[in-house]
Amino acid sequence: DYVLKSKKILKGIGEYVYKNLKSNNVVMNKPMGGFYLMPEFLNKRFKTSSEMCSDLLNKKSVAILPGSDFGFLKDRMIARLSFTDFDGSNFMSKINLNTNIDDDLIKEYAPNIIEGVLRINHWVENL
C-alpha cells in the first residue's frame, strides 16, 4: 500500500505541477514518474541557470536547482524542480488506492506545492 499510494500521490502532484507551469515561457516534458521535473525557462534575461535560480529564490522564496548542476550547459535556463514539499504521511492517511488525486486533494494536503507553483508563475510573468 505504501509504495502504491506514494506513486499515486507523486503522479497526481507531478501532473498538477506540469499542467500549471507549462506555458509559452516554460517548457518541460510530461512527468513519467519520480518526484521532480526539469523545466526550461524561455527567457534570455539571465546568463546562467544558477543566476536564474538565485533570482527566483531571492524574489519569490522558491528554491530550484540549476540545470548546470546536472550536466546541462550553464547558459540553458533549465532547472530541476522537486515537488515533494508536503506531509506525505498525512496525505497517505487520507487516501486509499482508489482515490483520484485531484486538484482539491492537492490543495488540501500539499498547499506548499500550490503556493510554489503560483510563485513561479508570477515570477515568470514578471521577467
Side-chain angles (χ1 to χ4, degrees):
D1 274 5
Y2 176 85
V3 171
L4 294 174
K5 283 182 177 181
S6 292
K7 286 181 178 182
K8 184 179 220 34
I9 290 168
L10 289 172
K11 181 177 191 276
I13 291 175
E15 289 174 358
Y16 173 86
V17 173
Y18 171 79
K19 175 179 68 178
N20 287 282
L21 278 184
K22 189 172 184 286
S23 70
N24 290 335
N25 298 317
V26 182
V27 294
M28 68 189 110
N29 292 324
K30 192 169 183 176
M32 302 287 289
F35 57 90
Y36 65 89
L37 292 167
M38 300 292 288
E40 182 168 8
F41 298 86
L42 302 178
N43 183 288
K44 302 299 180 193
R45 179 173 165 211
F46 305 104
K47 291 183 180 157
T48 67
S49 58
S50 292
E51 180 186 337
M52 177 189 69
C53 291
S54 292
D55 190 72
L56 176 60
L57 180 61
N58 291 330
K59 290 183 177 170
K60 295 295 177 181
S61 299
V62 174
I64 59 177
L65 297 171
S68 57
D69 287 357
F70 300 92
F72 293 95
L73 295 174
K74 290 181 181 187
D75 63 352
R76 284 199 62 197
M77 298 305 118
I78 296 176
R80 180 173 167 170
L81 185 156
S82 171
F83 45 84
T84 56
D85 188 5
F86 62 94
D87 182 343
S89 295
N90 185 42
F91 204 146
M92 279 190 184
S93 72
K94 306 301 182 194
I95 68 165
N96 61 51
L97 295 178
N98 297 317
T99 304
N100 179 37
I101 307 299
D102 60 16
D103 290 2
D104 290 333
L105 274 177
I106 295 169
K107 286 175 186 169
E108 185 168 354
Y109 299 112
N112 291 347
I113 301 297
I114 304 293
E115 181 64 25
V117 168
L118 288 172
R119 289 181 186 192
I120 293 171
N121 278 330
H122 187 258
W123 176 77
V124 167
E125 290 170 3
N126 290 295
L127 287 177

